[in-house]
Amino acid sequence: MRYSTVYERLFSQESKPGILVLIDPDKVDRDSVEEIVQKINEHDGVKAILVGTSVLLSDDFDEFVSRVRKVSKFPVIIFPGNSLQVSKNADAFLLPSLISGRNPDFLIGEHVKIAVFLKNSGIEVIPTGYMLVESGNYTSVEYISFTRPIPREKIDIAIAHAVAGELLGLKLLYLEAGSGAKYPVPPEMIKSVVDSVSIPVIVGGGLRTRKDVENAINSGASHVVIGTAFEEDPEILQEVL
Ligand code: 1GP
């Protein structure tokens, strides 16, 4: 690999915007894991595979991550919804702090439970400011995290949270409308946040069409996250980028 870290590979200046495909371990038939990853491998617009979910009902997370990584030609990054979703078998770990909320469990609590494990594992950790944005429906992340999303039109509030995250030393911002969101994060909010910070911003939640993806990328998103639309139709990757 040309880059020494996944972070560099994804966010170096010459890295073009692309897709981070989110695989929810609770939604994948265990007989089709390799086949699904092979499908992802076919698309050069993909930059990485994220693995994670809001709750986690399955009991084979570690093995699941290994299977994905074994076949993937892209880096595999854990994007955990809680402290059960850890494994040494990934290329990197997004450590999200839900900075748009005021629930201490998701700001620091879950992190304390896995911090020493992560450090000892040697896995690359990417400290991420996770910002939930109102999306027109009640999403799993809102329910599970007991946090309220930032109102869609409150761009000033989004900027203030993003800048606070940057000043706290976070290396990445994730603007999230929530899985299956009715409306993605508004382009104006993406643009304002991107213009306010010098760390990369990724965007996800409710992105289903080429237009959705273009809106996010043209607004300055470093990459976009696609989960539900890929689950519903793996060919979507071809269409959106
Ligand atoms: C959820 O942003 C991701 O954390 C992906 O959302 O499932 O709506 O693509 P979708």
Side-chain angles (χ1 to χ4, degrees), residues 161-170 197 199:
H161 282 79
V163 174
E166 180 180 35
L167 295 181
L168 281 166
L170 299 171
V197 296
I199 52 177

Side-chain angles (χ1 to χ4, degrees), residues 22 79 130 174-181 203-208 225-229 231:
L22 174 63
F79 169 47
Y130 186 63
Y174 188 150
L175 282 180
E176 167 76 283
S179 190
V203 175
L207 301 175
R208 296 178 165 278
V225 181
I226 294 190
T228 305
E231 278 162 22

Side-chain angles (χ1 to χ4, degrees), residues 66-79:
S66 295
R67 286 179 65 183
V68 172
R69 192 186 189 196
K70 203 164 173 192
V71 181
S72 175
K73 71 175 190 184
F74 305 109
V76 176
I77 306 172
I78 296 175
F79 169 47

Side-chain angles (χ1 to χ4, degrees), residues 1-240:
M1 190 159 67
R2 222 170 109 224
Y3 301 103
S4 57
T5 64
V6 172
Y7 184 86
E8 272 179 44
R9 174 169 167 172
L10 290 181
F11 303 114
S12 64
Q13 283 201 327
E14 58 269 29
S15 172
K16 282 203 205 129
I19 300 171
L20 311 178
V21 180
L22 174 63
I23 303 184
D24 180 336
D26 285 342
K27 296 198 179 143
V28 175
D29 181 338
R30 292 303 186 261
D31 291 334
S32 338
V33 178
E34 285 74 17
E35 190 188 327
I36 287 171
V37 178
Q38 291 288 10
K39 283 245 170 249
I40 298 172
N41 282 345
E42 289 168 15
H43 297 277
D44 288 335
V46 173
K47 298 290 173 172
I49 295 179
L50 304 185
V51 179
T53 184
S54 307
V55 188
L56 190 64
L57 305 178
S58 39
D59 60 2
D60 60 346
F61 187 79
D62 201 40
E63 189 195 341
F64 183 81
V65 171
S66 295
R67 286 179 65 183
V68 172
R69 192 186 189 196
K70 203 164 173 192
V71 181
S72 175
K73 71 175 190 184
F74 305 109
V76 176
I77 306 172
I78 296 175
F79 169 47
N82 57 39
S83 55
L84 290 173
Q85 297 168 49
V86 286
S87 168
K88 296 175 185 174
N89 300 318
D91 296 293
F93 190 94
L94 279 198
L95 187 61
S97 188
L98 210 174
I99 60 173
S100 57
R102 298 298 179 270
N103 180 346
D105 286 344
F106 290 92
L107 280 164
I108 181 70
E110 291 293 297
H111 316 64
V112 170
K113 295 176 192 167
I114 55 173
V116 174
F117 171 89
L118 284 178
K119 181 146 180 157
N120 290 341
S121 76
I123 195 169
E124 178 184 340
V125 173
I126 304 174
T128 303
Y130 186 63
M131 293 171 52
L132 185 58
V133 178
E134 189 187 3
S135 63
N137 54 346
Y138 192 28
T139 58
S140 298
V141 59
E142 181 178 354
Y143 179 82
I144 293 291
S145 69
F146 282 97
T147 66
R148 296 188 69 183
I150 297 172
R152 298 176 64 73
E153 69 287 0
K154 302 284 186 193
I155 289 177
D156 52 344
I157 292 179
I159 291 173
H161 282 79
V163 174
E166 180 180 35
L167 295 181
L168 281 166
L170 299 171
K171 298 285 185 252
L172 173 67
L173 292 174
Y174 188 150
L175 282 180
E176 167 76 283
S179 190
K182 192 166 171 190
Y183 308 116
V185 178
E188 312 76 53
M189 184 181 278
I190 300 170
K191 184 168 188 332
S192 301
V193 165
V194 168
D195 289 346
S196 306
V197 296
S198 50
I199 52 177
V201 177
I202 60 173
V203 175
L207 301 175
R208 296 178 165 278
T209 64
R210 178 180 274 265
K211 184 83 189 136
D212 292 338
V213 168
E214 274 174 8
N215 282 343
I217 289 175
N218 292 341
S219 304
S222 291
H223 302 297
V224 296
V225 181
I226 294 190
T228 305
F230 174 74
E231 278 162 22
E232 290 172 359
D233 176 13
E235 302 309 322
I236 196 87
L237 299 179
Q238 196 85 297
E239 289 165 31
V240 295

